[in-house]
């Protein structure tokens, strides 16, 4: 037979008083510090401070020196300045790089000679006599008046040019050009034919049959319609007339 259980263990001892004493010592140190500050008075507190002087806030700040901005050099392509030419070279009359001249004149003395007009603008050239052919290449706002061309008159890669034939030129070829006006003489109307490709705003001007002093202007078609008819493809010009 067993006896009663043993009694419970005694409670733990109270915490040491060191923490309390440390807090008390910190409070005493703070009180002593404030007491010493108050003892100095208002003048004593400011005695060790440097007196500020009135003036601009940034008077003693050194001036900021900005580095000069270096602009990138702009390079431009040199302008091609070819010398103007108007001379007979063998059997070819060369009229090249003429600009702003309305009094250019050449006189062809041999019907085997050709006339080549290249990169001329804002001017007028008059060709006197009968030549073999006339070529107008890469011209802009340039006018040409000629008498007769045995073979052809060709206009290539040109813009806003006017060409007048006072005699006869049977074959007229216009390629890659815009704003071309071609004036036919009364004698050349029934003999001339035009071959065109890649054109825009090309017009043929001819005298009125009943009144040669008046003119008729006809545009060359720029659009075409191709249809299959009677077993073959047929292409016709598209007319926008009402």
């Amino acid at each position: 037979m067993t006896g009663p259980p043993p009694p419970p263990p005694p409670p733990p001892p109270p915490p040491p008083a060191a923490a309390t004493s440390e807090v008390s010592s910190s409070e005493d140190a703070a009180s002593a510090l404030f007491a010493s500050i108050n003892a100095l008075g208002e003048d004593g507190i400011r005695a060790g401070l440097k007196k500020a002087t009135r003036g601009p806030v940034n008077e003693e700040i050194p001036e900021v020196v900005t580095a000069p901005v270096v602009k990138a050099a702009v390079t431009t392509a040199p302008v091609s300045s070819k010398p103007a030419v108007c001379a007979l070279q063998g059997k070819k009359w060369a009229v090249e790089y003429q600009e702003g001249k309305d009094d250019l004149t050449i006189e062809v003395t041999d019907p085997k000679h050709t006339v080549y007009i290249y990169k001329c603008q804002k001017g007028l050239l008059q060709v006197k006599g009968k030549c073999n052919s006339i070529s107008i290449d890469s011209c802009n706002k340039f006018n040409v008046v000629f008498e007769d061309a045995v073979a052809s008159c060709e206009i290539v890669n040109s813009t806003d040019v006017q060409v007048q034939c006072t005699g006869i030129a049977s074959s007229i070829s216009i390629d890659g050009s815009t704003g071309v006006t071609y004036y036919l003489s009364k004698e050349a109307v029934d003999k001339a034919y035009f071959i065109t490709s890649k054109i825009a705003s090309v017009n043929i001007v001819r005298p009125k049959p009943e009144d040669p002093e008046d003119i008729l202007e006809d545009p060359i078609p720029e659009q075409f319609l191709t249809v299959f008819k009677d077993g073959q493809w047929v292409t016709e010009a598209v007319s926008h007339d009402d």
Side-chain angles (χ1 to χ4, degrees):
M1 191 171 178
T2 60
T20 305
S21 61
E22 289 179 2
V23 174
S24 299
S25 61
S26 299
E27 293 179 352
D28 294 341
S31 299
L33 176 63
F34 283 112
S36 61
I37 293 174
N38 292 331
L40 293 175
E42 184 177 357
D43 294 336
I45 295 173
R46 299 177 179 178
L49 300 178
K50 183 178 180 180
K51 187 176 181 181
T53 57
R54 292 181 179 273
V57 176
N58 57 352
E59 182 178 3
E60 297 182 0
I61 299 177
E63 183 180 357
V64 179
V65 179
T66 58
V69 178
V70 180
K71 296 183 178 180
V74 179
T75 58
T76 57
V79 179
S80 176
S81 56
K82 298 288 184 69
V85 177
C86 184
L88 179 62
Q89 301 174 349
K91 294 184 178 182
K92 179 184 74 173
W93 276 96
V95 183
E96 302 175 354
Y97 303 105
Q98 299 287 343
E99 182 176 357
K101 293 186 178 181
D102 297 327
D103 56 352
L104 293 171
T105 303
I106 61 176
E107 188 168 352
V108 180
T109 58
D110 189 340
K112 295 182 180 180
H113 289 173
T114 61
V115 179
Y116 181 65
I117 308 165
Y118 180 67
K119 283 196 174 182
C120 296
Q121 59 181 338
K122 299 179 182 179
L124 171 64
L125 170 66
Q126 185 174 1
V127 181
K128 295 182 178 181
K130 180 184 291 186
C131 64
N132 181 268
S133 64
I134 292 182
S135 298
I136 302 170
D137 186 3
S138 303
C139 293
N140 179 36
K141 297 181 180 180
F142 197 72
N143 303 326
V144 179
V145 179
F146 69 96
E147 295 179 3
D148 298 283
V150 177
S152 64
C153 174
E154 182 183 28
I155 304 170
V156 183
N157 300 328
S158 296
T159 306
D160 297 333
V161 297
Q162 298 187 36
V163 182
Q164 181 178 3
C165 176
T166 60
I168 297 176
S170 300
S171 175
I172 300 98
S173 174
I174 306 175
D175 178 39
S177 299
T178 303
V180 177
T181 303
Y182 191 93
Y183 295 85
L184 287 169
S185 66
K186 181 181 178 181
E187 295 77 17
V189 172
D190 297 332
K191 301 178 177 63
Y193 59 91
F194 290 79
I195 302 173
T196 61
S197 62
K198 296 182 290 185
I199 62 169
S201 301
V202 175
N203 296 281
I204 304 172
V205 179
R206 57 189 172 92
K208 276 187 176 181
E210 64 276 10
D211 185 7
E213 298 298 325
D214 201 357
I215 59 174
L216 293 173
E217 186 172 1
D218 302 303
I220 293 182
E222 302 172 22
Q223 293 180 320
F224 300 90
L225 174 67
T226 301
V227 296
F228 194 74
K229 183 187 298 184
D230 299 331
Q232 61 182 351
W233 292 104
V234 179
T235 301
E236 299 177 350
V238 176
S239 176
H240 297 282
D241 297 336
D242 295 333

